[in-house]
């Protein structure tokens, strides 16, 4: 670690020391792509690293694990006391993770339920500390085609690839995602991928302990030999580490790849290219012990008036614009919230205004709807989404009027009267004028002084 330790950094425990550590690790990994790091464990149990890890866990909130200890109870117990214990256990090598609690959550817009594993709070803190130390090393290797769960990268960066490639003439698309990716990654293959960069035996042992901790489901603990628990703090990084093998084996001759975790899309320019691209994707996944999800795998030709593709919550379709000042029509790739995204928004609004909540104050319900709409619209505003926004806000107004009518044992019409009598429609936020139309080869992020909703 001489290259890391030689860098002038703030003292351990000082403000910025963790960030300086991460920058030093990144620079060392970038400077020597073949280097394997052998002295990282002592950085995992550094007190400032653990403190940063706790801050990340606290901000993400989350339910308790199998011990039923909540974040509030940890704060009551004493955060410093917990971190002291974790530091001591990690130094002594006695830390042992507990199984995660398995729950099933609905997938938006479908009847499927996604398995989610919830580690106990102390395990989440240690996982976050490991991620803080390992992420810069692997970030030095990750390729530009990977966008999911990476610092300074967002879904909209991946979406920009579609826009740019379509503008260049790529009108054939292969869309797919990996079947049960988080549950199917083989532990042996994952650890082999990690060991390409990490040789610290104690860090490797800690990662293996997390993989083998298992999940508590229906009263019994399962310890499968595949999978990195979806819901674990470090799981997205481990997924990217493993699928990096796919990224680096990909060749531009098959098309332009855009991957967001286990969701992938390839933009192609000729009729025969997508068939070869899909075959190549399937073969690369098979080499990794994975396979594409059949129901979500297809080849689509983008044509005006034809079908489109769904990717990262947006529906993308080739459209023709109206002529402007005699310049002629322009064909471009437009995007707006997909059917699933629209249904998810309606489901959330319906839940917040259902009959079982009639005792809640109207002001509280409006506040909750506004909070959801700000987040939902903050993501989908970077698209051609004005019509979709209008539909969702009208739906919110209708549900709010129905809620008020039921609350007063009146009809929806009476509820609408109350809404429109209010000078600001009871404070329900407007979604007008916030849409930012994406453009090819233009950064999707606004300039800092541009008015509107905050970045996502």
């Amino acid at each position: 670690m001489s290259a890391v330790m030689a860098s002038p950094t703030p003292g351990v425990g000082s403000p910025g020391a963790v960030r300086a550590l991460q920058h030093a690790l990144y620079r060392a990994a970038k400077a020597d792509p073949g280097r394997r790091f052998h002295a990282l464990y002592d950085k995992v149990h550094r007190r400032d690293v653990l403190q940063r890890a706790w801050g990340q866990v606290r901000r993400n909130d989350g339910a308790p694990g199998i011990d039923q200890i909540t974040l509030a109870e940890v704060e009551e117990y004493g955060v410093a006391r917990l971190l002291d214990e974790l530091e001591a256990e990690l130094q002594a090598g006695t830390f042992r993770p507990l199984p995660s609690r398995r729950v099933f959550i609905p997938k938006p817009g479908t009847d499927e339920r996604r398995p989610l594993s919830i580690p106990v709070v102390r395990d989440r803190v240690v996982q976050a500390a490991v991620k803080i130390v390992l992420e810069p090393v692997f970030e030095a290797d990750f390729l530009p085609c990977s966008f999911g769960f990476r610092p300074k990268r967002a879904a909209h960066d991946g979406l920009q690839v579609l826009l740019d490639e379509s503008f260049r003439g790529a009108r054939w698309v292969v869309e797919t995602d990996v079947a049960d990716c988080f549950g199917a990654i083989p532990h042996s293959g994952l650890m082999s991928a990690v060991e390409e960069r990490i040789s610290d035996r104690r860090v490797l042992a800690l990662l293996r302990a997390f993989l083998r901790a298992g999940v508590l489901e229906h009263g019994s603990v399962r310890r499968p030999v595949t999978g990195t628990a979806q819901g674990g703090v470090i799981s997205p990084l481990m997924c990217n580490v493993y699928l990096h093998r796919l990224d680096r084996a990909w060749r531009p001759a098959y098309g332009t790849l855009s991957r967001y975790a286990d969701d992938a899309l390839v933009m192609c320019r000729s009729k025969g290219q997508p068939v070869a691209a899909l075959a190549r994707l399937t073969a690369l996944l098979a080499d990794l012990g994975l396979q594409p999800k059949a129901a979500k795998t297809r080849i689509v030709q983008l044509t005006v008036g034809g079908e489109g593709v769904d990717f990262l919550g947006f529906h993308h379709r080739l459209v023709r614009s109206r002529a402007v000042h005699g310049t002629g029509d322009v064909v471009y790739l437009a995007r707006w919230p997909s059917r699933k995204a629209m249904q998810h928004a309606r489901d959330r609004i319906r839940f917040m205004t259902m009959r079982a909540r009639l005792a809640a104050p109207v002001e509280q319900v409006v506040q909750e709807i506004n909070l959801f709409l700000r987040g939902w619209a903050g993501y989908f505003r970077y698209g051609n989404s004005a019509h979709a926004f209008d539909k969702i806000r009208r739906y919110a107004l209708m549900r709010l009027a129905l809620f008020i009518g039921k609350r007063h044992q009146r009809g929806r019409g009476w509820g609408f009267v109350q809404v429109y009598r209010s000078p600001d429609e009871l404070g329900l936020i407007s979604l007008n004028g916030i849409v930012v139309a994406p453009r090819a080869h233009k950064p999707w992020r606004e300039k800092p002084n541009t008015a509107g909703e905050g970045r996502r």
Side-chain angles (χ1 to χ4, degrees):
M1 294 296 295
S2 57
V4 176
M5 302 307 294
S7 301
T9 60
V12 174
S14 65
V18 174
R19 186 175 296 276
L21 167 67
Q22 290 181 303
H23 286 172
L25 289 168
Y26 178 85
R27 289 194 299 270
K30 200 72 174 177
D32 186 357
R35 177 176 178 175
R36 297 177 70 215
F37 289 75
H38 66 276
L40 296 176
Y41 190 79
D42 61 318
K43 294 158 184 60
V44 172
H45 60 69
R46 255 175 49 172
R47 185 49 178 265
D48 53 352
V49 172
L50 288 172
Q51 189 70 49
R52 172 73 66 83
W54 160 257
Q56 293 178 359
V57 170
R58 189 66 185 90
R59 282 194 301 274
N60 290 334
D61 205 358
I66 63 171
D67 61 0
Q68 294 301 312
I69 296 176
T70 65
L71 291 164
E73 288 173 331
V74 169
E75 291 175 326
E76 184 178 345
Y77 177 79
V79 174
R81 185 177 172 188
L82 172 68
L83 298 185
D84 285 342
E85 293 172 359
L86 290 177
E87 184 178 4
E89 289 180 28
L90 288 167
Q91 285 179 336
T94 58
F95 173 81
R96 297 292 182 271
L98 294 175
S100 298
R101 180 167 65 90
R102 173 61 58 85
V103 298
F104 292 87
I105 60 174
K107 287 187 176 182
T110 71
D111 295 329
E112 297 180 56
R113 297 176 72 82
R114 177 186 290 116
L116 189 67
S117 301
I118 305 176
V120 299
V121 174
R122 56 189 285 115
D123 290 357
R124 298 209 294 266
V125 173
V126 176
Q127 285 192 33
V130 174
K131 182 174 180 284
I132 286 169
V133 174
L134 295 190
E135 187 171 58
V137 175
F138 292 109
E139 270 295 320
D141 296 334
F142 290 160
L143 298 176
C145 63
S146 169
F147 297 95
F149 306 110
R150 295 183 57 189
K152 298 183 180 180
R153 301 205 122 200
H156 293 89
D157 295 314
L159 292 166
Q160 188 67 35
V161 173
L162 278 67
L163 207 64
D164 295 345
E165 290 302 309
S166 171
F167 185 81
R168 294 189 183 105
R171 301 293 168 83
W172 291 86
V173 183
V174 179
E175 58 171 333
T176 188
D177 69 4
V178 183
D180 188 27
C181 181
F182 283 88
I185 293 176
H187 291 174
S188 57
L190 174 58
M191 291 308 301
S192 176
V194 171
E195 287 169 12
E196 291 182 15
R197 272 302 204 171
I198 309 299
S199 60
D200 188 316
R201 289 180 295 176
R202 291 180 295 176
V203 170
L204 296 174
L206 190 55
L207 288 174
R208 290 191 181 95
F210 279 120
L211 291 175
R212 294 170 180 167
V215 294
L216 180 66
E217 185 177 351
H218 304 307
S220 60
V221 177
R222 293 175 51 252
R223 290 187 170 88
V225 296
T226 62
T228 173
Q230 191 167 5
V233 177
I234 204 169
S235 294
L237 174 61
M238 292 295 98
C239 176
N240 276 333
V241 168
Y242 194 58
L243 291 182
H244 173 64
R245 291 184 161 186
L246 182 151
D247 298 342
R248 71 188 182 193
W250 189 256
R251 296 292 178 265
Y254 292 102
T256 302
L257 174 67
S258 178
R259 182 179 65 80
Y260 192 94
D262 57 346
D263 204 353
L265 188 144
V266 183
M267 300 291 289
C268 305
R269 300 194 183 190
S270 63
K271 185 175 181 180
Q273 199 177 21
V275 177
L278 180 55
R280 179 60 174 164
L281 264 180
T282 303
L284 290 175
L285 288 173
D287 290 343
L288 297 174
L290 305 171
Q291 59 183 353
K293 185 180 292 186
K296 292 190 175 181
T297 301
R298 62 178 188 148
I299 295 173
V300 177
Q301 181 183 12
L302 297 174
T303 59
V304 176
E307 61 181 326
V309 297
D310 290 351
F311 188 57
L312 301 182
F314 281 94
H315 180 72
H316 304 77
R317 187 171 295 195
L318 209 64
V319 301
R320 190 185 305 276
S321 72
R322 301 191 184 104
V324 179
H325 302 304
T327 58
D329 292 353
V330 175
V331 174
Y332 67 99
L333 190 66
R335 66 173 185 244
W336 52 81
S338 67
R339 288 184 180 179
K340 284 185 178 180
M342 294 289 283
Q343 188 59 50
H344 171 62
R346 286 190 287 265
D347 289 345
R348 285 291 301 275
I349 294 168
R350 186 186 304 115
F351 174 80
M352 288 182 276
T353 55
M354 63 183 177
R355 183 180 293 274
R357 302 201 66 214
L358 289 179
V362 175
E363 295 79 8
Q364 177 185 330
V365 173
V366 171
Q367 189 176 35
E368 291 173 1
I369 294 174
N370 284 346
L371 184 63
F372 167 72
L373 288 179
R374 284 191 181 96
W376 188 84
Y379 179 81
F380 288 108
R381 67 186 296 245
Y382 296 101
N384 311 89
S385 306
H387 180 62
F389 281 11
D390 183 55
K391 290 174 69 173
I392 290 300
R393 191 177 186 278
R394 280 191 280 113
Y395 181 79
L397 277 174
M398 183 272 291
R399 289 296 306 182
L400 192 57
L402 188 62
F403 177 84
I404 294 171
K406 287 181 178 178
R407 199 167 188 270
H408 292 272
Q409 298 181 345
R410 301 288 189 94
R412 182 170 59 183
W414 186 88
F416 268 118
V417 170
Q418 308 313 307
V419 171
Y420 290 124
R421 274 182 179 175
S422 168
D424 59 353
E425 295 179 330
L426 297 178
L428 189 69
I429 63 169
S430 172
L431 301 182
N432 292 331
I434 68 169
V435 170
V436 179
R439 295 178 295 171
H441 309 299
K442 299 288 184 181
W444 65 270
R445 292 181 176 88
E446 297 177 349
K447 295 179 180 179
N449 293 329
T450 301
E453 298 287 327
R455 295 178 185 174
R456 184 179 174 83

